[in-house]
């Protein structure tokens, strides 16, 4: 069998098996890294979500929010701006709708506030329902800071964005914004007339199947080599059977079905 391995055909097969093994190893680590990222996210949520709120200006700055500070419970007093934006294609409990964004000016800076979710209009994504404006005048709010999302690279419809990408939102409202956004918990004043956004619920802490997928990838690493081993044995047996005077291999016994009363 060793002599057979060092033929051109089987060496090529060994190379393919080795490439598969390396690919499965890295794919397993990719899935396991995703699992660890969710574990770390849950640790941040547990540490920050239920804590007493701290001043927003002590957490957010012009630079991007550090991931370790995500989900920090914050409070701020300021005024809402006049611009209105919605993030399209956001799903809550299986229903597609929008998340409503508003700029909030605090201590001379602007932070993007996610005021909550509304369902999609009856005429499709372009038919955005009329949303109640945020409270006028000075408002005190509480919420949780989040890291901005990646841009989806899509052209924005006026009044809409494809994701909560802070650079895209800054371009849409025409002013610089702080390096993170706030998911609203509550305002200190009632909103105006119109459809009031539903405040987003608690963050999902599910870990998903990534750890299981990682183990599955790693378990398939030796698969190619196992198949090669059985392929070599089968080829060896076939060659031995073809030799002159080779004894015939005993035939496998046929399975015989036993008659029972159910056949009666």
């Amino acid at each position: 069998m060793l002599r057979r391995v060092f033929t051109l055909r089987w060496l090529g097969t060994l190379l393919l098996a080795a490439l598969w093994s390396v690919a499965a190893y890295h794919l397993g680590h990719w899935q396991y890294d995703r699992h660890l990222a969710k574990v770390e996210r849950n640790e941040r949520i547990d540490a920050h979500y239920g804590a007493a709120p701290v001043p927003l200006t002590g957490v957010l700055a012009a630079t991007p929010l550090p991931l370790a500070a995500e989900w920090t419970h914050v409070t701020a007093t300021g005024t809402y701006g006049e611009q209105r934006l919605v993030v399209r294609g956001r799903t809550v409990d299986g229903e597609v709708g929008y998340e409503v964004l508003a700029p909030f000016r605090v201590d001379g800076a602007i932070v993007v506030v996610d005021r909550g979710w509304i369902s999609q209009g009856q005429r499709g994504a372009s038919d955005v329902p009329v949303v109640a404006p945020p409270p006028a005048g000075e408002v005190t709010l509480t919420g949780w800071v989040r890291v901005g999302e990646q841009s989806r690279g899509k052209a924005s419809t006026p009044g809409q964005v494809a994701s909560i990408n802070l650079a895209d939102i800054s371009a849409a409202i025409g002013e610089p914004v702080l390096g993170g956004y706030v998911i609203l918990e509550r305002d200190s004043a009632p909103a105006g007339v119109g459809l009031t956004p539903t405040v987003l619920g608690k963050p999902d802490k599910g870990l998903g199947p990534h750890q299981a997928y990682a183990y599955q990838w790693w378990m398939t690493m030796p698969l190619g080599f196992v198949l090669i081993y059985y392929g070599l044995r089968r080829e060896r047996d076939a060659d031995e059977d073809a030799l002159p005077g080779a004894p015939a291999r005993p035939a496998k016994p046929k399975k015989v079905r036993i008659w029972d009363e159910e056949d009666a």
Side-chain angles (χ1 to χ4, degrees):
M1 287 179 65
L2 285 177
R3 286 196 301 270
R4 295 174 189 276
V5 169
F6 292 104
T7 60
L8 185 60
R9 179 166 67 93
W10 284 110
L11 285 174
T13 308
L14 277 172
L15 177 60
L16 291 176
L19 291 174
W20 168 261
S21 183
V22 172
Y25 173 81
H26 288 290
L27 287 168
H29 269 287
W30 169 62
Q31 288 288 348
Y32 197 71
D33 287 344
R34 296 183 69 184
H35 167 73
L36 291 180
K38 289 193 173 184
V39 171
E40 293 173 358
R41 175 207 61 191
N42 289 351
E43 291 174 350
R44 291 193 298 273
I45 293 172
D46 292 339
H48 299 311
Y49 194 83
V54 298
L56 179 143
T57 51
V59 179
L60 284 181
T63 54
L65 177 72
L67 188 59
E70 191 174 40
W71 291 109
T72 299
H73 199 189
V74 295
T75 183
T77 300
T79 55
Y80 281 105
E82 296 181 357
Q83 296 93 339
R84 302 289 181 269
L85 286 175
V86 295
V87 192
R88 59 182 179 267
R90 312 296 270 205
T91 303
V92 171
D93 294 333
E95 184 177 357
V96 179
Y98 314 87
E99 288 180 27
V100 181
L101 307 179
F104 186 78
R105 189 175 297 276
V106 51
D107 292 348
I110 294 178
V111 61
V112 177
V113 176
D114 186 335
R115 298 182 53 223
W117 181 88
I118 58 172
S119 61
Q120 186 169 285
Q122 297 297 321
R123 299 178 184 177
S126 60
D127 179 30
V128 181
V130 176
V131 182
E138 189 172 82
V139 175
T140 297
L141 61 76
T142 58
W144 297 273
V145 294
R146 296 291 313 275
V147 174
E149 299 173 357
Q150 292 185 348
S151 176
R152 300 184 64 182
K154 297 182 179 180
S156 298
T157 303
Q160 299 185 28
V161 289
S163 66
I164 309 180
N165 178 265
L166 299 175
D168 291 346
I169 295 171
S170 177
I173 66 177
E175 294 189 74
V177 299
L178 294 178
Y181 71 98
V182 174
I183 291 181
L184 182 66
E185 180 184 22
R186 67 174 65 90
D187 289 326
S188 65
V193 178
L195 185 62
T196 302
T198 301
V199 174
L200 298 177
K202 292 184 177 181
D204 177 24
K205 294 177 64 179
L207 293 176
H210 304 297
Q211 186 178 37
Y213 287 165
Y215 292 152
Q216 289 173 8
W217 279 116
W218 289 332
M219 288 173 65
T220 65
M221 287 174 59
L223 178 62
F225 300 105
V226 172
L227 293 176
I228 288 172
Y229 171 75
Y230 283 104
L232 285 167
R233 282 188 54 182
R234 188 172 183 178
E235 186 177 278
R236 180 202 62 187
D237 293 344
D239 289 347
E240 289 179 352
D241 291 343
L243 291 174
R249 295 183 182 271
K252 293 183 178 180
K254 294 183 178 180
K255 294 182 178 180
V256 179
R257 186 170 181 273
I258 301 175
W259 183 89
D260 55 30
E261 295 180 356
E262 292 182 359
D263 293 326

